[in-house]
Amino acid sequence: MKILLSNDDGVFAPGLAVLAEALSSVAEVLVVAPDRNRSGASNSLTLDRPLNIVRHDNGFLSLNGTPTDCVHLGSSGIFDFAPDMVVSGINAGPNLGDDVLYSGTVAAAMEGRHLTYPPLAVSSASFNPHHLADAAQVVLQLVQDITDLNVASRTVLNVNIPDQPLSELGAVHVTRLGNREMADKPIPAEDPRGNIYYWIAGAGIAADRDPGTDFYAIEEGCVSITPIHADMTQFSGMDNVAEWLERTQ
């Protein structure tokens, strides 16, 4: 198997190196990652400037773009590499519920949705993880078993792993996305010249963390796997919108 590995924490992130080493034991791995942290980049593509590639001493490639840029280029064949699947991670910090809308980790995986096998977006539940090697072993097992998975085309598996030793991890739960409350207001500050600027505040707290959600699985010390897809159509609302249009026209 040939695996294209990327992330949104940047080419020098520890989670990327640990996962590359683990996956290289069972597959040919090409690493293409942003040259810096691009967390929150979502599915953005860079269209206003050219992208520069740098090859590092460890063989990793970095570019001055987004996670989606990395997979877009890496899966195109221009590096003489035709991947069978994309793995993104290991991200420092969870991507649960609404986070998938903003996550560069999930976006990088989503860009690989057309390949042979479902892509994996992998996140540690800790922003300062200490057990990345254990998390990588979880991913390694998923990759080894991925050929037996039967899901709809363009499915992405969003994987969140508690930051615990492998021996202490709970079961693997198939989950749905929970959701968060609205984030706090942006935080204003003033620069030395008196200009006001703003910091985006942190994510809102979990609002839907019921059993069956990704939030609940992580709180229970279990691995969460949520199948997600790019089709954002709300099919249950189509009839309601059609009826509304009939009434207003």
mmCIF file with all atom_site columns, all heavy atoms in Angstrom, residues 36 133 160 224:
data_model
loop_
_atom_site.group_PDB
_atom_site.id
_atom_site.type_symbol
_atom_site.label_atom_id
_atom_site.label_alt_id
_atom_site.label_comp_id
_atom_site.label_asym_id
_atom_site.label_entity_id
_atom_site.label_seq_id
_atom_site.pdbx_PDB_ins_code
_atom_site.Cartn_x
_atom_site.Cartn_y
_atom_site.Cartn_z
_atom_site.occupancy
_atom_site.B_iso_or_equiv
_atom_site.pdbx_formal_charge
_atom_site.auth_seq_id
_atom_site.auth_comp_id
_atom_site.auth_asym_id
_atom_site.auth_atom_id
_atom_site.pdbx_PDB_model_num
ATOM 1  N N   . ARG A 1 36  ? 4.423   25.187 8.284  1.00 0.00 ? 36  ARG A N   1
ATOM 2  C CA  . ARG A 1 36  ? 4.166   25.751 9.613  1.00 0.00 ? 36  ARG A CA  1
ATOM 3  C C   . ARG A 1 36  ? 2.787   25.291 10.075 1.00 0.00 ? 36  ARG A C   1
ATOM 4  O O   . ARG A 1 36  ? 2.061   24.645 9.325  1.00 0.00 ? 36  ARG A O   1
ATOM 5  C CB  . ARG A 1 36  ? 4.236   27.275 9.584  1.00 0.00 ? 36  ARG A CB  1
ATOM 6  C CG  . ARG A 1 36  ? 3.307   27.901 8.559  1.00 0.00 ? 36  ARG A CG  1
ATOM 7  C CD  . ARG A 1 36  ? 3.611   29.373 8.345  1.00 0.00 ? 36  ARG A CD  1
ATOM 8  N NE  . ARG A 1 36  ? 2.883   29.935 7.216  1.00 0.00 ? 36  ARG A NE  1
ATOM 9  C CZ  . ARG A 1 36  ? 1.674   30.486 7.295  1.00 0.00 ? 36  ARG A CZ  1
ATOM 10 N NH1 . ARG A 1 36  ? 1.040   30.540 8.463  1.00 0.00 ? 36  ARG A NH1 1
ATOM 11 N NH2 . ARG A 1 36  ? 1.088   30.979 6.218  1.00 0.00 ? 36  ARG A NH2 1
ATOM 12 N N   . ALA A 1 133 ? 3.165   7.564  20.381 1.00 0.00 ? 133 ALA A N   1
ATOM 13 C CA  . ALA A 1 133 ? 3.537   6.249  19.845 1.00 0.00 ? 133 ALA A CA  1
ATOM 14 C C   . ALA A 1 133 ? 2.417   5.240  20.057 1.00 0.00 ? 133 ALA A C   1
ATOM 15 O O   . ALA A 1 133 ? 2.177   4.378  19.203 1.00 0.00 ? 133 ALA A O   1
ATOM 16 C CB  . ALA A 1 133 ? 4.829   5.767  20.498 1.00 0.00 ? 133 ALA A CB  1
ATOM 17 N N   . ASN A 1 160 ? -10.428 9.969  16.910 1.00 0.00 ? 160 ASN A N   1
ATOM 18 C CA  . ASN A 1 160 ? -9.900  10.679 18.078 1.00 0.00 ? 160 ASN A CA  1
ATOM 19 C C   . ASN A 1 160 ? -9.474  9.654  19.121 1.00 0.00 ? 160 ASN A C   1
ATOM 20 O O   . ASN A 1 160 ? -10.219 8.711  19.411 1.00 0.00 ? 160 ASN A O   1
ATOM 21 C CB  . ASN A 1 160 ? -10.950 11.622 18.658 1.00 0.00 ? 160 ASN A CB  1
ATOM 22 C CG  . ASN A 1 160 ? -11.131 12.873 17.813 1.00 0.00 ? 160 ASN A CG  1
ATOM 23 O OD1 . ASN A 1 160 ? -10.428 13.862 17.998 1.00 0.00 ? 160 ASN A OD1 1
ATOM 24 N ND2 . ASN A 1 160 ? -12.072 12.824 16.871 1.00 0.00 ? 160 ASN A ND2 1
ATOM 25 N N   . SER A 1 224 ? -12.603 7.052  19.486 1.00 0.00 ? 224 SER A N   1
ATOM 26 C CA  . SER A 1 224 ? -13.808 7.411  18.733 1.00 0.00 ? 224 SER A CA  1
ATOM 27 C C   . SER A 1 224 ? -13.504 7.390  17.245 1.00 0.00 ? 224 SER A C   1
ATOM 28 O O   . SER A 1 224 ? -12.519 7.982  16.796 1.00 0.00 ? 224 SER A O   1
ATOM 29 C CB  . SER A 1 224 ? -14.276 8.811  19.139 1.00 0.00 ? 224 SER A CB  1
ATOM 30 O OG  . SER A 1 224 ? -15.203 9.336  18.202 1.00 0.00 ? 224 SER A OG  1
#
